[in-house]
Amino acid sequence: MASRRNALLHLGPSRPGAPLTQKREQWIKEVAYYKAMNRRFSPGHELMDWLAAEQEVDDLCRRLSEI
């Protein structure tokens, strides 16, 4: 169980001791940013980027919690 927590803590930059919900939001922001960057920041896709990033982060967290 401790290894699961450690894996989640190393998913991305965040303040040590920050609640998981804050870390989750930071990870989503970063993934959404890279999605936008990959399409050269063309406008009109921000919501799609955010929702896709949420799904990816949640899927990853779910997979890690099963380890």
Side-chain angles (χ1 to χ4, degrees):
M1 185 140 198
S3 63
R4 279 189 249 160
R5 286 192 203 114
N6 290 339
L8 289 174
L9 291 175
H10 292 95
L11 283 177
S14 62
R15 295 187 322 269
L20 184 57
T21 54
Q22 287 179 354
K23 291 178 184 182
R24 177 184 174 270
E25 185 174 330
Q26 181 62 36
W27 298 331
I28 292 168
K29 286 178 186 178
E30 290 178 22
V31 172
Y33 172 84
Y34 286 111
K35 287 184 172 301
M37 185 177 73
N38 284 334
R39 54 175 180 70
R40 300 186 176 160
F41 300 102
S42 60
H45 301 280
E46 297 82 4
L47 181 58
M48 270 188 354
D49 291 340
W50 185 268
L51 294 175
E54 273 187 327
Q55 186 67 49
E56 286 183 30
V57 168
D58 289 345
D59 288 347
L60 178 60
C61 290
R62 194 173 306 108
R63 285 195 308 267
L64 288 173
S65 71
E66 295 171 356
I67 295 174

